[in-house]
């Protein structure tokens, strides 16, 4: 049975972003009061527009790096769903200092604020990047390698801090290692855009999307609604063994970027037949990228009751319909 958070007060940090705004939508539909802390560094006000008139929604425009903003945002909160961070491996390679300040110091500020406010549980976004150079496939939670980027270090440090806070202060913490999430509201623009919205936008505009490397690298692409469910499962898990741990959150299958490209082209050509003949542009390899990624989701299934309900193909079709309406 899928567990849903309802009739309580939840903080979503990074709620103006891709995953955060999908979380807020679900939480409001389930009759929760939702507080969003965001500084709009990468998120957008447009993602929050549907919620602004809802009396159960409160926006705190503030920064994780500011202790007072963190303390204000956790007042009266039961569950913290910590999504705010600077994502993107290449961004962290270009500017490791800012990524560290937000993702490590900001994360620590949130942990301290949540501890002092006595929140029930702190669920946070980690990342598949913590597996670094470990060659094993599928990725199993206990077997991680050396981080390959500053971003990966910040997520690893988040897990270390969460573990220490659980041990020292008895906090209930759960980390979710997301694997390449996609879906509506993911930003297609800018230097650090994720691959799926970037490909979709280029194809809709009849441009040739760039693929780094030969396109044979593989990823466990995960539709955002699976992540929405995972956050709720993590917040509500009642097995004590489930706490103070990190989990792979993915679909549990992988496809190559070339396969992804072909699927997107096929699905989009149902809207616009001219897209069927657009070829990708192959570019040089990108630093910090891992060659393959595939999650074992056994641990999340067993301890959180996580079950991904949307396959990659179903998710891609849903995402494409949304982008077609919003970008064309
Ligand atoms: N999207 C993925 O595939 C993926 C994969 C692994 C992990 N994650 C993690 O999931 C979380 C959400 O990612 P997303 O894809 O929704 O990214 P996103 O960039 O769309 O959202 C992040 C949000 O955090 C906000 N933010 C950034 N710095 C902030 C600060 N200093 N103070 C307050 N708010 C701040 C941004 O404005 C944005 O709204 C992040 O922690 C990310 O590292 C995402």
């Amino acid at each position: 049975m899928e567990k849903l958070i309802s009739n309580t007060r939840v903080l979503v940090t990074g709620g103006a972003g891709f995953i955060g705004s999908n979380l807020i939508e679900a939480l409001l539909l389930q009759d929760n009061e939702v507080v969003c802390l965001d500084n709009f560094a990468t998120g957008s006000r447009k993602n929050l527009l549907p919620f602004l008139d809802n009396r159960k929604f409160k926006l705190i425009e503030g920064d994780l790096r500011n202790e007072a903003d963190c303390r204000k945002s956790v007042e009266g909160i039961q569950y913290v769903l910590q999504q705010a961070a600077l994502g993107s491996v290449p961004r962290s390679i270009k500017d490791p200092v800012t990524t560290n300040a937000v993702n490590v110091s900001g994360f620590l500020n949130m942990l301290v604020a949540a501890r002092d406010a006595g929140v029930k549980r702190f669920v946070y976004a980690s990342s598949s990047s913590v597996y670094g150079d470990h060659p094993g496939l599928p990725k199993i939670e206990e077997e991680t390698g050396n981080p390959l980027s500053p971003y990966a270090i910040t997520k690893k440090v988040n897990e270390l801090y969460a573990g220490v806070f659980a041990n020292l202060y008895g906090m209930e913490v759960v980390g979710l290692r997301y694997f390449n999430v996609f879906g509506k509201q993911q930003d297609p623009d800018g230097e650090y855009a994720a691959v799926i919205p970037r490909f979709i936008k280029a194809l809709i505009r009849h441009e040739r999307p760039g693929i780094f490397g030969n396109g044979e690298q593989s990823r466990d692409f995960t539709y955002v609604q699976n992540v929405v469910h995972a956050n709720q499962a993590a917040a509500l898990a009642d097995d004590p063994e489930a706490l103070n741990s990190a989990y792979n959150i993915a679909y549990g299958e992988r496809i190559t970027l070339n396969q992804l490209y072909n699927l997107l082209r096929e699905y989009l050509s149902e809207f616009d037949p001219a897209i069927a003949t657009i070829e990708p542009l192959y570019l040089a390899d990108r630093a910090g990228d891992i060659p393959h990624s595939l999650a074992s989701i056994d641990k999340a299934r067993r301890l959180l009751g996580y079950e991904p309900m949307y396959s990659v193909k179903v998710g891609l079709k849903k995402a494409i319909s949304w982008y077609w309406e919003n970008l064309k």
Side-chain angles (χ1 to χ4, degrees), residues 14-20 37-44 62-65 82-87 102 125-128 151 155 178-181 186:
F18 157 48
I19 296 171
L37 172 69
D38 206 298
N39 70 346
F40 297 101
T42 58
S44 90
D63 197 308
L64 287 186
R65 290 165 291 186
Q82 162 74 14
Q83 311 300 313
L86 285 176
V102 173
S126 180
S127 159
S128 58
Y151 172 73
K155 292 295 179 178
Y178 302 157
F179 280 65
N180 292 80
V181 189
Q186 190 170 28

Side-chain angles (χ1 to χ4, degrees), residues 218-244:
S218 62
R219 298 286 180 268
D220 193 336
F221 290 105
T222 310
Y223 185 55
V224 67
Q225 285 308 319
N226 296 329
V227 171
V228 168
H229 291 144
N231 272 271
Q232 302 192 69
L236 300 176
D238 44 22
D239 182 344
E241 216 197 308
L243 301 178
N244 184 13

Side-chain angles (χ1 to χ4, degrees), residues 215-282:
E216 286 307 299
Q217 59 275 47
S218 62
R219 298 286 180 268
D220 193 336
F221 290 105
T222 310
Y223 185 55
V224 67
Q225 285 308 319
N226 296 329
V227 171
V228 168
H229 291 144
N231 272 271
Q232 302 192 69
L236 300 176
D238 44 22
D239 182 344
E241 216 197 308
L243 301 178
N244 184 13
S245 205
Y247 297 85
N248 292 341
I249 298 302
Y251 185 63
E253 285 179 11
R254 64 181 167 131
I255 59 172
T256 65
L257 291 192
N258 288 327
Q259 288 169 325
L260 169 73
Y261 183 81
N262 288 332
L263 283 174
L264 290 175
R265 194 170 56 172
E266 180 191 328
Y267 297 161
L268 275 164
S269 57
E270 288 169 20
F271 293 86
D272 174 358
I275 291 174
T277 53
I278 302 174
E279 291 299 329
L281 206 59
Y282 288 95

